[in-house]
Amino acid sequence: MPNIRGDAMRGLAVFISDIRNCKSREAELRRINKELTNIRQRFRADKTLDGYQKKKYVCKLLFIFLLGHDIDFGYMEAVNLLSSNKYTEKQIGYLFISVIMNSSSEMKQLIIQNIRNDIQSRNPIFINLALQCVANIGEREMATAFTNEIPRLLISGDTIDPVKQSAALCLLRLHRTSPDSLQLNTEWTARIIHLLNDQHLGVATAAVSLIDALVKRNPDEYKGCVNLAVSRLSRIVTSSYTDFQDYTYYFVPAPWLCVKLLRLLQNYPPPDDPSIRSRLNECLDTILNKAQEPLKSKKVQHSNARNAVLFEAINLIIHMDCESTLLVRACNQLGQFLQNRETNLRYLALESMCLLAASEFSHEAVKKHQETVINALKSERDVSVRQRAVDLLYAMCDRSNAEDIVQEMLTYLETADYTIREEMVLKIAILSEKYAVDYKWYLDIMLKLIRIAGDFVSEEVWYRVIQVVVNRNDVQSYAAKIAFEALQAPACHENMIKVAGYILGEYGNLIALDPRSTPMIQFELLHSKYHLCSPTTRSLILSTYMKFINLFPEIKQHVQDILRHDSNFRSSDVEIQQRATEYLRLSEICSPTVLATVLEIMPPYPEKQSPLLVRLKQKKPLMEAEPSGETPTTPGAHTDDGPKLADTAIHLNQQHQQQQQNGLLVSLDTIESNGHYNESTSYSLPSSSVPSAAPLQSAKKLLFKNSDIIFENDIIQIGIKVEIMKSILRVEFYYGNKTNSNLTNMSSSISLADELDPDLRINMEPIKSSIDPKAQIKQAGTIECIKDYGNLPKMNVAFFYSNVPQKIDFPLPLYINKFIEKAEMDSNNYFLRWRNLDKPDQECQKIFPAKFPMNHNECSQKLDSFGWSDLAGIDVNADNFCGAGILHTTAQQIGCLYRLEPNKQAKMYRLTIRTSKGGVAARLAELLEDQF
Amino acid sequence: MIRFILIQNRAGKTRLAKWFMNFHDDEKQKLIEEVHALVTVRDAKHTNFVEFRNFKIVYRRYAGLYFCICVDVNDNNLAYLEAIHNFVEVLNEFFHNVCELDLVFNFYKVYSVVDEMFLAGEIRETSQIKVLKQLTTLTSLE
C-alpha cells in the first residue's frame, strides 16, 4: 500500500490509488470519466460545497489534467479557492491556475483581483503564494496591474526576506514577458542593486538573477552593481565554509550565489577602477588556488560545487581576456581536468578550452594539450565528449598544426559516429582550405574526404571545392589529374562523380595530352558511371559532355550519339530530356566559334565568406515558446537570435547556390550570378530614381496594412512596419539611402498635435547618425495609445546630403484603427450590445457612393484588415457586413460595432458605427467612408 | 535560465513537469518524450549533460527516477547538476526518505517545494535549512 502521510485529502488518495490499480488504459479512462461526472454534479448541484470539498475536487481535476486529459470545467471553483482564507485551499487554487492557465479574459481580471487582494494582505504566506503565481504565469496584463506594487515589496524595509526573494523573481518574470509594460522607476535602481549586499544570502541569490536581466537591458543604469558584486564575491570566496552555515553546500560556501555573481560580472568589461579590479583578480586567483587544495570530502557533490564556481570563474577570465597569467593558469587547470576520472569534468574542460583557444594569450597554452585531445577523440566512450574534442581541435588549429589535426580528424572520420560525421566533414573542409599552404594538399584532402565520407558531404562542401579550383589557375591541371584518377576507382561516390565531372568538363583539356587520359578515355570513363547516377548528376554530366564538344571537337560524334540516345533524348526526366535536346541542337547548328563562346570556361567566383562557415552555424530544431508568451525582445530569448540570423544567411546562400547550380546549364549564355541583390530586405531600393518628392499620394495607405513605404523622394525612402499589441504598437522605421553618397547627421522625431496633452506616448530608439550609400538602417520603438485621437502625429526627418541640409515633414499615417483588436461574438450578444449603445454621439452613420467595384470578398478583406472582425451570419441579409472590435487605449477599452450595407442597384453604401465612447464612431466612420 | 524541470521514471511516466516557458500542450508532450528517449539510453560513464535542440539537459538519475533540468546552452552545468541534488535532498528530508510514490500521491506538495527553490526559471533559495523550515510552517497550516 502506498504510504500516505500527513493530512492528505483522503478522497484524492483513494482516487489516485484507483487509477494506479487500473489494469488497462480503458479501465483508467472509465474511472476518470466516472470521477469527472461525479465532480461535475457536485459543482453543479451542491451550492453548499465547503472549502475542503472544493479544494479536493479541484485537486482531483488537476491530477486528471496532469494524466493528460482535457479539463473543461472547474475553473471558476479554482478561482473561488483563491479568496479562501485557508492556506491549503488557496494553495490548490493557485496551483490549478498556474498549471492549467487557460482562462478567458474575464477570468484573468478576477484572478488579478484575487492576487491583488493577497499581495495587499498582511499575511506573508499569502503574499508569497500570490507572488509565486505571478512568477509562474505573469504576462502583460499582470505587469501593467502590478507595475508599482511588486517593486515596492522588493525594496521596502518592512518586507520579510522570503517575500523579497519571490518579489525579485516575480519582477524578473514580468520583465522577460513584457519589458515595455513594466516601468521600473529609476529611483529604485540603487536600492535594487543594493540587494546584492543583503544580509540574507537567499535574497541576494534571487536578486542577482533579476539584476542580471536588468543589466542586459540597461547596462549603464546598473553599472553600480559591479562594485557590489565584486565585494560580495570577495567576502564569500575568502571566508571559511563555516561562516555560512545555512548556505554552505558540502564545504563550499554559497556556490550558486558565487556562480550567479560571476555571471553577472560577465555583462561588463573588466572594471576600470584599479582597486576593484585588483580585488576581482584576487577573487579569481583564490578560486584557482582552491581548485588545487585537497578535497574536503570524497563526495562528488563537494567537487562539483567547487568546480561549478571554478568553471564560472574561468568563463569570466576568458570574458575579460586581459590577464594573461590568469588565462594561462586557467588553461593549466583545465589541462589537469582533461585527465580526470570524471567524464563530466573532461567534457567541461574540453568545452572551456575551446573558448581559451580563441584568446591570443592562451592559444599557445591550449596547443600543448593537442596530444591529449586527440587521444580523447579516440578513446572517449560518450559521443558528446568526442564531439567536444573535435570542437577543440577545430578551435586550436592554426597554420602550425593544421596538417596534423586535419590528418587526425580524417582518420577518426572513418570510424566516427554517424551523428557527428557531417559536422566533421565541414570542419575538415574549412580547416584544410583556411590553412592550406599548398592547394594540392587541399585538393588531396577534399577528394579523400569525399571518398571516405561521401554521404556526409553536403552540397556546400563540393560546391566549395569547385569554387576553389575555378578561382585558382595554378591547381586546375592537378585537379583534373586527380579527379580523373579518382574516377578510376571501381566504386565511386556520386559526389565524387559530380566533382570529377565538373572539373573534367572545365579542365579536361589540361590532361588530354597524357596518353592515359586522352579525350576519348576521359569521356568513356565518365560515361561508364553515367547510368549509375541520379537524374541530377546525369544532367550535370550532360553539361560536361557538351563542354567536351568544345574542348575536344574530335569526339563530337560520340557525344552527339549519347545525346541522341533514347534514354536521354526521350528521357522521362524533363531536365535530362531538355538538356539532351537543346545540347544536341546547339552542337548541330552552331559554328565552332559560337560554341567556343557559349561553352567558355567558367569565370572566377566572387570571393565571399565561405558558405561552409554558414552551414556550420546552422542549428538543430529549435524549442520555442508559444508566441503568446515571451516576446522576441526578451533577454531570455536571446539564444534564439543566433540561429535565426544563420537561417537567413543560409537562405541567401541557397539562392546563390541555386544560381551556381543553374550556372552549369546557364553558363551557355555566360553566367550572371555575380552581384545579385539581397532580396530578403523588406525595402530594397529601386535602381531607377522616382520623380521628385511624392509624399503619400494615396494618403490612407497604412489603414489596411501593417507595413508600407510612407515617404519617398530621389534621396531617401522611408518605410514602416508595425506590430500590434493592444494599446502598444511595436514600430520599425526603415530609412533607405538611394544615393551614392552618405547621408549624415540623420535625425528623426515624431511630434504630436498637442504636446501638452499627448494622446500617444512615443518611445523610439535613437536613430543611427549616418546611412551608407545604397544602404538601409532600421529604427525600432514603441508607440502607445493613451487615448483616442483624430489628428495624426507628424514625422520630422532631417539629414545632410552632400553637405546640404534636407528636411522632410509629413503626417505619419498611424490611424487610430491600428489599436483595434478583433472581437468575436454571436448574434444575440452583438445585437444586445448594439442596442445598448444608443446615445446620439455613440453612433455615426455615413452614406456614400461606391468607389470600387462592389465585391463582397474584397469588402470583407478590407474590414478584416482594418482591425475588427467580420462576423458572418449575424445580419439576416447575407450581403451586409457586421463586426466588432475593441479599441485599446491606456485610458480605457472602447467597444466598437459596425454594420456596412451595400446597395448594389444604387451603387451606394451605408456605414453605421457605434462605439462605447462618444465621438469615436465619427472618427472611425471618417476613415472608412471613401474606402469602398 | 531554466526552461523546464522534469522528473520521469524509467518507463517514461512523468512524476513532475514544471514549465518556465509557455508551451502548447502537444509541444509539452513531445518534449517529455524526447527528453525521456535522450536520457534513458545513457549510462553511468556518460556525462550528466546532453545537448537538446537549442538548449541542454542537465540530469541525474536517482534509483528509477530521472531528474532533468533544461537550461540555456551557456548556463553552468555543474551548478544545475548540484541544484538537482540539493532539491532531491530537500525532498528526501521533507518526505522522510522520499520514494516515487510520495511524488505521485503528494504531487501538489512537490510543486510547493519547487516554488520555494526555483522561481521564474531561476534558483530562488539554496539553503536546505531555510527551505525545510518554510515547508514545515506551510504543512502546519490549515
Side-chain angles (χ1 to χ4, degrees):
Chain A
M1 252 323 272
N3 184 7
I4 310 157
R5 300 186 179 92
D7 59 334
M9 294 162 264
R10 227 188 97 70
L12 175 70
V14 169
F15 174 57
I16 296 177
S17 291
D18 283 358
I19 294 287
R20 288 181 54 78
N21 291 334
C22 285
K23 294 276 181 286
S24 65
R25 186 94 187 127
E26 290 72 35
E28 182 183 309
L29 204 61
R30 270 199 303 279
R31 180 67 186 85
I32 287 171
N33 283 333
K34 187 179 146 204
E35 193 64 38
L36 286 175
T37 317
N38 173 34
I39 300 174
R40 214 180 254 119
Q41 276 171 355
R42 294 295 179 125
F43 281 166
R44 206 180 300 146
D46 232 337
K47 292 275 183 247
T48 56
L49 276 185
D50 65 14
Y52 170 81
Q53 282 169 313
K54 235 185 249 172
K55 168 181 88 170
K56 186 178 72 183
Y57 293 128
V58 168
C59 204
K60 279 182 180 175
L61 285 179
L62 187 56
F63 184 79
I64 294 171
F65 176 82
L66 289 172
L67 285 176
H69 302 270
D70 284 337
I71 296 296
D72 54 3
F73 69 102
Y75 291 52
M76 209 53 214
E77 284 75 9
V79 175
N80 282 343
L81 285 176
L82 300 186
S83 46
S84 160
N85 53 9
K86 290 190 176 138
Y87 164 76
T88 53
E89 289 166 17
K90 228 182 236 302
Q91 190 247 332
I92 298 295
Y94 274 123
L95 181 60
F96 185 91
I97 288 161
S98 302
V99 171
I100 298 190
M101 183 53 193
N102 189 8
S103 42
S104 64
S105 58
E106 287 144 52
M107 287 276 242
K108 246 182 213 163
Q109 289 312 315
L110 211 58
I111 293 170
I112 288 179
Q113 191 48 49
N114 275 297
I115 292 176
R116 172 163 294 141
N117 292 345
D118 279 336
I119 286 181
Q120 288 168 352
S121 78
R122 295 253 145 224
N123 183 336
I125 302 273
F126 291 177
I127 300 179
N128 227 350
L129 270 182
L131 289 177
Q132 284 169 346
C133 178
V134 177
N136 280 321
I137 59 168
E139 31 65 79
R140 190 165 298 279
E141 275 153 316
M142 294 196 183
T144 322
F146 303 119
T147 191
N148 283 318
E149 282 162 297
I150 298 178
R152 288 241 162 75
L153 278 176
L154 179 63
I155 54 176
S156 151
D158 305 335
T159 314
I160 63 162
D161 296 326
V163 170
K164 274 193 186 169
Q165 285 171 288
S166 301
L169 294 170
C170 207
L171 277 183
L172 174 61
R173 161 83 189 197
L174 297 177
H175 173 81
R176 279 182 182 146
T177 46
S178 46
D180 322 320
S181 314
L182 186 72
Q183 302 294 339
L184 284 182
N185 196 327
T186 45
E187 288 161 26
W188 299 333
T189 307
R191 306 182 67 170
I192 293 178
I193 294 175
H194 266 89
L195 293 169
L196 291 177
N197 238 342
D198 201 285
Q199 284 204 318
H200 190 284
L201 285 187
V203 172
T205 306
V208 197
S209 296
L210 170 66
I211 295 168
D212 193 84
L214 296 173
V215 158
K216 287 198 165 77
R217 178 154 86 165
N218 201 342
D220 285 336
E221 190 183 334
Y222 288 87
K223 219 171 172 168
C225 72
V226 173
N227 193 0
L228 288 173
V230 171
S231 56
R232 178 112 237 185
L233 185 68
S234 155
R235 269 177 286 150
I236 300 173
V237 297
T238 53
S239 65
S240 148
Y241 65 88
T242 46
D243 297 352
F244 297 93
Q245 289 161 353
D246 283 13
Y247 286 88
T248 294
Y249 179 80
Y250 289 90
F251 307 102
V252 182
W256 292 282
L257 177 55
C258 287
V259 167
K260 283 188 180 190
L261 289 168
L262 288 162
R263 288 177 71 81
L264 176 65
L265 291 169
Q266 289 169 49
N267 290 307
Y268 289 99
D272 294 328
D273 183 332
S275 66
I276 303 178
R277 183 140 161 193
S278 74
R279 196 156 182 208
L280 176 58
N281 286 344
E282 271 167 38
C283 285
L284 296 170
D285 229 29
T286 314
I287 296 172
L288 285 168
N289 289 339
K290 280 194 179 170
Q292 295 296 328
E293 287 171 14
L295 291 172
K296 293 192 178 66
S297 154
K298 283 206 168 125
K299 287 248 166 87
V300 70
Q301 281 76 21
H302 170 60
S303 69
N304 278 350
R306 193 164 94 173
N307 291 329
V309 179
L310 175 66
F311 276 108
E312 209 55 66
I314 292 177
N315 282 343
L316 179 57
I317 292 170
I318 296 169
H319 167 81
M320 300 199 301
D321 197 19
C322 58
E323 304 288 339
S324 59
T325 40
L326 286 176
L327 280 160
V328 172
R329 279 194 73 185
C331 187
N332 294 339
Q333 180 60 53
L334 295 176
Q336 285 180 22
F337 284 156
L338 288 183
Q339 319 268 8
N340 197 288
R341 277 181 43 244
E342 284 272 327
T343 317
N344 285 344
L345 282 183
R346 296 197 303 274
Y347 173 92
L348 294 172
L350 287 167
E351 193 178 62
S352 282
M353 259 199 188
C354 261
L355 302 172
L356 277 176
S359 163
E360 51 169 324
F361 297 112
S362 47
H363 185 80
E364 288 303 315
V366 171
K367 274 166 67 183
K368 287 189 196 132
H369 302 284
Q370 186 175 325
E371 210 49 40
T372 324
V373 181
I374 287 170
N375 249 331
L377 195 59
K378 291 174 178 161
S379 59
E380 285 289 350
R381 275 191 52 193
D382 184 341
V383 57
S384 57
V385 185
R386 294 195 293 271
Q387 170 86 54
R388 289 289 159 269
V390 173
D391 292 346
L392 179 53
L393 284 177
Y394 178 76
M396 67 161 73
C397 191
D398 59 22
R399 219 170 274 282
S400 73
N401 56 16
E403 275 195 36
D404 286 346
I405 287 184
V406 167
Q407 192 51 52
E408 286 295 343
M409 285 170 90
L410 260 183
T411 316
Y412 175 61
L413 182 60
E414 288 184 72
T415 52
D417 311 75
Y418 288 107
T419 46
I420 66 172
R421 280 196 193 182
E422 189 182 341
E423 199 185 320
M424 284 198 68
V425 166
L426 274 174
K427 288 187 162 160
I428 293 172
I430 292 169
L431 291 178
S432 51
E433 184 189 336
K434 190 169 171 195
Y435 297 115
V437 184
D438 176 1
Y439 276 85
K440 288 181 181 165
W441 173 75
Y442 165 75
L443 283 175
D444 287 338
I445 297 287
M446 292 312 292
L447 290 196
K448 191 167 176 202
L449 195 58
I450 297 174
R451 197 158 53 239
I452 60 184
D455 281 344
F456 300 90
V457 171
S458 54
E459 288 189 332
E460 288 91 338
V461 174
W462 73 262
Y463 288 166
R464 188 66 185 171
V465 177
I466 285 168
Q467 282 182 21
V468 170
V469 174
V470 168
N471 290 8
R472 299 198 68 96
N473 299 330
D474 52 335
V475 290
Q476 285 160 355
S477 72
Y478 182 73
K481 179 170 160 285
I482 60 167
F484 176 79
E485 283 165 7
L487 274 188
Q488 286 174 319
C492 236
H493 194 275
E494 194 159 328
N495 279 334
M496 185 69 92
I497 299 173
K498 287 179 184 164
V499 173
Y502 192 102
I503 291 178
L504 290 180
E506 295 293 323
Y507 312 111
N509 56 329
L510 301 177
I511 55 167
L513 291 178
D514 188 326
R516 284 165 300 178
S517 52
T518 63
M520 199 55 204
I521 296 178
Q522 284 184 42
F523 175 62
E524 280 175 346
L525 179 62
L526 191 56
H527 198 59
S528 69
K529 314 281 182 192
Y530 183 79
H531 300 281
L532 307 169
C533 293
S534 67
T536 330
T537 310
R538 286 191 202 184
S539 309
L540 188 151
I541 296 177
L542 286 180
S543 298
T544 301
Y545 292 170
M546 195 57 199
K547 291 232 164 183
F548 276 170
I549 293 186
N550 179 42
L551 294 179
F552 316 125
E554 64 268 34
I555 63 165
K556 178 174 175 179
Q557 194 57 48
H558 299 276
V559 173
Q560 285 180 331
D561 286 347
I562 300 295
L563 294 175
R564 220 175 269 128
H565 195 274
D566 274 358
S567 64
N568 296 322
F569 200 71
R570 294 170 192 218
S571 166
S572 58
D573 186 282
V574 180
E575 184 66 34
I576 292 178
Q577 195 189 97
Q578 188 178 356
R579 288 195 191 206
T581 320
E582 289 177 2
Y583 289 167
L584 182 63
R585 192 73 188 127
L586 195 67
S587 70
E588 285 166 355
I589 59 168
C590 290
S591 69
T593 32
V594 174
L595 270 186
T597 319
V598 174
L599 301 171
E600 206 179 0
I601 200 164
M602 288 290 283
Y605 287 86
E607 272 309 329
K608 288 194 174 168
Q609 189 202 22
S610 165
L612 302 187
L613 289 170
V614 178
R615 173 79 192 209
L616 192 62
K617 284 180 205 140
Q618 195 174 16
K619 283 273 187 160
K620 289 147 215 157
L622 302 183
M623 180 170 83
E624 282 170 68
E626 275 178 54
S628 64
E630 301 181 21
T631 52
T633 49
T634 58
H638 72 277
T639 40
D640 295 353
D641 294 353
K644 267 186 208 140
L645 286 177
D647 281 349
T648 33
I650 283 168
H651 173 67
L652 294 176
N653 257 307
Q654 276 164 352
Q655 270 185 354
H656 185 57
Q657 274 147 12
Q658 196 66 46
Q659 268 163 326
Q660 283 168 10
Q661 195 169 27
N662 292 343
L664 302 175
L665 178 61
V666 175
S667 64
L668 295 172
D669 37 32
T670 67
I671 185 163
E672 30 84 289
S673 76
N674 309 13
H676 69 286
Y677 224 91
N678 170 354
E679 285 166 317
S680 69
T681 342
S682 350
Y683 299 98
S684 57
L685 303 170
S687 49
S688 63
S689 61
V690 183
S692 68
L696 303 166
Q697 294 103 334
S698 55
K700 289 183 183 171
K701 273 186 142 177
L702 218 51
L703 202 56
F704 300 115
K705 285 164 126 185
N706 286 331
S707 63
D708 212 333
I709 292 174
I710 50 174
F711 180 86
E712 179 156 17
N713 64 14
D714 286 350
I715 305 170
I716 194 167
Q717 183 191 49
I718 303 173
I720 187 177
K721 212 165 133 185
V722 301
E723 193 192 331
I724 301 124
M725 294 170 305
K726 310 245 160 116
S727 66
I728 295 178
L729 278 189
R730 209 180 277 282
V731 189
E732 284 172 4
F733 288 107
Y734 296 86
Y735 303 84
N737 177 354
K738 293 166 67 175
T739 69
N740 287 320
S741 48
N742 281 332
L743 301 185
T744 54
N745 292 38
M746 285 295 301
S747 75
S748 164
S749 64
I750 298 169
S751 52
L752 301 173
D754 185 352
E755 295 286 358
L756 293 176
D757 182 19
D759 31 40
L760 290 171
R761 183 177 297 141
I762 290 162
N763 186 7
M764 299 300 299
E765 66 177 6
I767 187 171
K768 289 205 185 76
S769 66
S770 74
I771 317 180
D772 291 341
K774 299 280 180 211
Q776 186 183 21
I777 60 168
K778 187 174 113 177
Q779 181 195 22
T782 56
I783 297 182
E784 182 181 354
C785 181
I786 299 173
K787 55 180 204 256
D788 64 300
Y789 61 96
N791 292 326
L792 292 181
K794 261 209 171 56
M795 179 111 183
N796 319 301
V797 180
F799 54 88
F800 281 76
Y801 168 55
S802 11
N803 292 328
V804 181
Q806 307 276 336
K807 230 178 136 190
I808 302 165
D809 292 337
F810 57 93
L812 181 59
L814 206 62
Y815 298 99
I816 183 87
N817 70 306
K818 283 282 157 283
F819 299 97
I820 294 182
E821 188 193 27
K822 289 187 177 32
E824 304 290 336
M825 56 186 74
D826 56 24
S827 73
N828 281 345
N829 237 321
Y830 177 86
F831 286 110
L832 186 73
R833 287 171 200 229
W834 182 269
R835 279 194 297 276
N836 281 338
L837 301 173
D838 55 3
K839 296 199 193 72
D841 68 342
Q842 286 181 325
E843 188 192 89
C844 177
Q845 192 170 74
K846 298 254 178 188
I847 297 170
F848 50 90
K851 254 176 92 179
F852 303 100
M854 297 175 82
N855 178 316
H856 188 90
N857 285 342
E858 272 177 34
C859 278
S860 159
Q861 219 159 41
K862 269 187 190 163
L863 290 164
D864 182 76
S865 43
F866 185 73
W868 46 26
S869 57
D870 173 22
L871 302 168
I874 293 238
D875 200 300
V876 278
N877 182 347
D879 284 337
N880 293 348
F881 303 90
C882 287
I886 300 162
L887 176 58
H888 289 278
T889 69
T890 316
Q892 67 185 121
Q893 301 192 343
I894 304 165
C896 313
L897 300 172
Y898 74 89
R899 190 175 194 192
L900 179 68
E901 297 155 284
N903 180 339
K904 286 197 175 157
Q905 278 83 40
K907 297 212 163 71
M908 298 286 278
Y909 284 104
R910 181 165 69 190
L911 173 68
T912 319
I913 298 179
R914 290 189 175 187
T915 55
S916 61
K917 186 176 175 199
V920 177
R923 280 184 179 157
L924 294 173
E926 218 169 278
L927 290 178
L928 280 175
E929 70 175 323
D930 51 359
Q931 298 295 330
F932 292 94
Chain B
M1 174 193 172
I2 305 174
R3 303 297 168 150
F4 57 78
I5 299 176
L6 286 181
I7 306 179
Q8 304 175 309
N9 67 12
R10 276 191 63 74
K13 285 241 186 221
T14 308
R15 295 311 181 198
L16 170 81
K18 177 76 189 177
W19 308 94
F20 297 103
M21 264 169 109
N22 296 329
F23 295 108
H24 277 294
D25 289 342
D26 311 348
E27 180 71 0
K28 287 181 185 170
Q29 196 46 43
K30 237 169 86 190
L31 290 169
I32 287 174
E33 284 162 19
E34 279 180 40
V35 171
H36 179 250
L38 203 58
V39 296
T40 42
V41 295
R42 299 173 63 85
D43 65 32
K45 290 266 182 231
H46 285 84
T47 59
N48 292 84
F49 328 119
V50 212
E51 286 180 16
F52 178 69
R53 304 209 194 169
N54 46 338
F55 295 91
K56 65 187 173 195
I57 305 281
V58 177
Y59 74 98
R60 198 178 220 154
R61 188 179 159 181
Y62 294 87
L65 287 181
Y66 288 88
F67 286 68
C68 306
I69 295 195
C70 177
V71 292
D72 296 342
V73 274
N74 54 0
D75 275 326
N76 189 308
N77 297 43
L78 291 177
Y80 281 110
L81 184 59
E82 287 316 306
I84 292 177
H85 189 74
N86 201 29
F87 175 52
V88 171
E89 288 192 354
V90 168
L91 288 178
N92 200 42
E93 198 64 34
F94 182 55
F95 289 110
H96 312 287
N97 218 348
V98 68
C99 67
E100 190 174 342
L101 283 184
D102 290 320
L103 306 185
V104 177
F105 280 91
N106 298 293
F107 69 95
Y108 55 96
K109 291 186 183 164
V110 180
Y111 279 102
S112 295
V113 182
V114 173
D115 279 346
E116 288 301 318
M117 301 186 74
F118 306 96
L119 201 58
E122 302 293 343
I123 293 174
R124 175 183 180 274
E125 178 56 83
T126 62
S127 156
Q128 293 186 16
I129 297 171
K130 291 222 162 66
V131 173
L132 286 165
K133 207 174 123 201
Q134 177 74 359
L135 290 173
T136 321
T137 316
L138 297 180
T139 324
S140 69
L141 295 172
E142 200 186 338

